[in-house]
Amino acid sequence: MMTPKMVAHFRRSVSFSNTPSPPPPPPSSTYRTTAKRIHFRSTSLPTRSHPVLSQLKYHLNQLKSQWGPETVSESINSSRITDALIRLRIILESLDDLLDLAPSRDSLRRHPEWVEKVLEDFLVMVDVYGTFQMQISTLKQCNVAAQLATRRKDGLKMVVCLKGLKKSGREIFKLMPFLQTIRERPADLTQLDPNPDLELVEVIKGVMEMIVVISEAVFGGISASLETRKASWMMGLKKSKREKGIKEIENGIWSLRNYKDEILNKKMMKEMEECIEGIESGSEKVFRSLINTRVSLLNVLTQ
C-alpha cells in the first residue's frame, strides 16, 4: 500500500534592520519593462513560465509530435511502445513536480469542480493500469509456457497456450471503453469559470489526452496482435486503430501457429517475450506515476 506524499512546511524567521529602506528606483522605462516581464499573479502561475512548466510542455509537445494524427500510418514495434511509456512517465513526473509548486496549487484551488473531474479521470486510469498490470503478467506467463511447449514440440500444449494468449488479449481489450469515457468527458473549464488560468489547465488537459492516446496504442496494439480485430470493429473503433498490432507480438503469434523453422521460431518467441517484459516494466512505472500525480491533485483540495 502506497502512503500519500506529505508536503513539509517550514516556518521562516524574518529579521528587520533599524535602517530605513532604500528609496525605490526611478521610474525609468527599463525598470518598468523589467518589472512587467517578471510580474507574478497571486493566484496563478507567473507570466514567465516556471522551468518545470516549460519542461513539461516540451516533453508533452515531443510526445504529441510522435503520436499525433499524422503518425497513424506508422508501424508500431516494441521500441516505439516502450519509448512512449517512458515519455509518458516523464510527463506525469513533471506534472507531479508542477503540482507541488505553490502558484500551481493556488491557481487550481480556484477551480475545485474542475479539479474534481480531473481526479475522477485519474482514478479511472489508476484502476485501468492496475488491471492491465495483472493481465500483462498473465500474458507473460502464457508466453513463457508457449516457448516451453515449442521447445518440446508439444502441439497440444501450444494450442492451449495460444488460447490463453488470445484470452489475455480480450481481457486487455475490455479496458478500451474506459479510455473512451475519459476522451469523451467534457473538461472545458471555461464552462465552470469565465476567467480560468488557461496555461496550467491546458497543460493538464494535454497530459490527460496523451495518457489516453498512449494507453490506446498499448492496449489496442496488444489486442490487435492477438487477433481481437472483430471485437474492435464491433466497438466502433477506427480501422487504423484496429490494425495497429505490435510487430514483435504479431510475429510471435505467427510463429506459434506456423511452427516450421525451430531457430526462427525461437527468435520470434524471444522477441515477443522481451516486448512483453518492456511493456510490463514501462506500464508499471506509469501506474506508479499516475498514483503519485493523483495524490498531488488531491492535496490541492485538501491541504
Side-chain angles (χ1 to χ4, degrees), residues 22 40 53 73 79 86 96 105 120 130 153 155 163 178 209 213 240-241 247 251 278-279 281 285 287 290 295 298:
F40 282 75
L53 178 60
S73 60
S79 60
I86 290 171
D96 191 21
R105 295 197 300 270
E120 290 176 11
K153 299 181 180 180
K163 288 182 178 179
F178 294 101
E209 177 188 352
V213 168
S240 59
K241 290 184 179 179
K247 178 182 176 182
N251 289 345
I279 293 174
S281 175
K285 292 181 175 66
F287 175 51
L290 284 167
V295 170
L298 193 59

Side-chain angles (χ1 to χ4, degrees), residues 75-78 143 146-147 150 158 162 165 221-222 224-227 229 245-261 263-273 275-276:
S75 61
I76 298 180
N77 55 26
S78 176
N143 182 60
Q147 290 187 67
T150 55
M158 289 165 64
L162 185 59
L165 289 166
I222 293 174
S225 302
L226 299 173
E227 291 198 353
R229 291 186 179 87
I246 301 172
K247 178 182 176 182
E248 288 81 0
I249 298 180
E250 287 182 329
N251 289 345
I253 296 298
W254 180 88
S255 68
L256 190 59
R257 286 177 166 169
N258 302 274
Y259 184 81
K260 294 179 181 179
D261 188 326
I263 296 177
L264 180 61
N265 176 273
K266 184 177 180 179
K267 177 178 180 293
M268 287 184 171
M269 294 297 292
K270 184 63 177 177
E271 289 176 349
M272 179 177 173
E273 178 185 5
C275 174
I276 293 173

Side-chain angles (χ1 to χ4, degrees), residues 65-83:
S65 67
Q66 295 175 3
W67 290 89
E70 66 279 1
T71 65
V72 168
S73 60
E74 295 182 13
S75 61
I76 298 180
N77 55 26
S78 176
S79 60
R80 190 173 178 216
I81 286 289
T82 52
D83 177 75

Side-chain angles (χ1 to χ4, degrees), residues 123-300:
L123 179 59
V124 171
M125 291 310 305
V126 167
D127 288 342
V128 164
Y129 268 81
T131 302
F132 178 71
Q133 287 304 115
M134 292 187 290
Q135 293 302 328
I136 197 70
S137 177
T138 301
L139 190 67
K140 180 180 175 181
Q141 293 172 10
C142 288
N143 182 60
V144 171
Q147 290 187 67
L148 181 60
T150 55
R151 285 197 296 269
R152 294 177 176 177
K153 299 181 180 180
D154 187 340
L156 181 59
K157 185 65 174 179
M158 289 165 64
V159 172
V160 172
C161 291
L162 185 59
K163 288 182 178 179
L165 289 166
K166 292 179 68 174
K167 181 180 178 181
S168 295
R170 288 193 295 270
E171 292 300 317
I172 290 173
F173 180 77
K174 290 178 181 178
L175 301 174
M176 297 288 281
F178 294 101
L179 304 178
Q180 194 68 17
T181 299
I182 294 176
R183 184 188 289 278
E184 295 174 352
R185 184 174 298 174
D188 187 3
L189 182 54
T190 57
Q191 296 177 359
L192 304 174
D193 190 329
N195 299 301
D197 300 302
L198 290 179
E199 187 174 30
L200 178 58
V201 168
E202 289 301 318
V203 165
I204 294 176
K205 287 169 62 177
V207 171
M208 293 303 301
E209 177 188 352
M210 293 316 299
I211 292 173
V212 172
V213 168
I214 300 306
S215 300
E216 284 180 341
V218 175
F219 304 164
I222 293 174
S223 301
S225 302
L226 299 173
E227 291 198 353
T228 56
R229 291 186 179 87
K230 182 177 180 181
S232 301
W233 178 83
M234 292 175 67
M235 292 298 295
L237 296 180
K238 294 180 180 179
K239 181 179 179 181
S240 59
K241 290 184 179 179
R242 294 203 316 270
E243 296 177 350
K244 283 296 179 182
I246 301 172
K247 178 182 176 182
E248 288 81 0
I249 298 180
E250 287 182 329
N251 289 345
I253 296 298
W254 180 88
S255 68
L256 190 59
R257 286 177 166 169
N258 302 274
Y259 184 81
K260 294 179 181 179
D261 188 326
E262 183 176 354
I263 296 177
L264 180 61
N265 176 273
K266 184 177 180 179
K267 177 178 180 293
M268 287 184 171
M269 294 297 292
K270 184 63 177 177
E271 289 176 349
M272 179 177 173
E273 178 185 5
E274 292 172 351
C275 174
I276 293 173
E277 287 178 347
I279 293 174
E280 181 184 37
S281 175
S283 61
E284 193 271 340
K285 292 181 175 66
V286 169
F287 175 51
R288 292 183 180 275
S289 296
L290 284 167
I291 293 174
N292 292 338
T293 305
R294 189 176 188 277
V295 170
S296 295
L297 275 168
L298 193 59
N299 288 342
V300 168

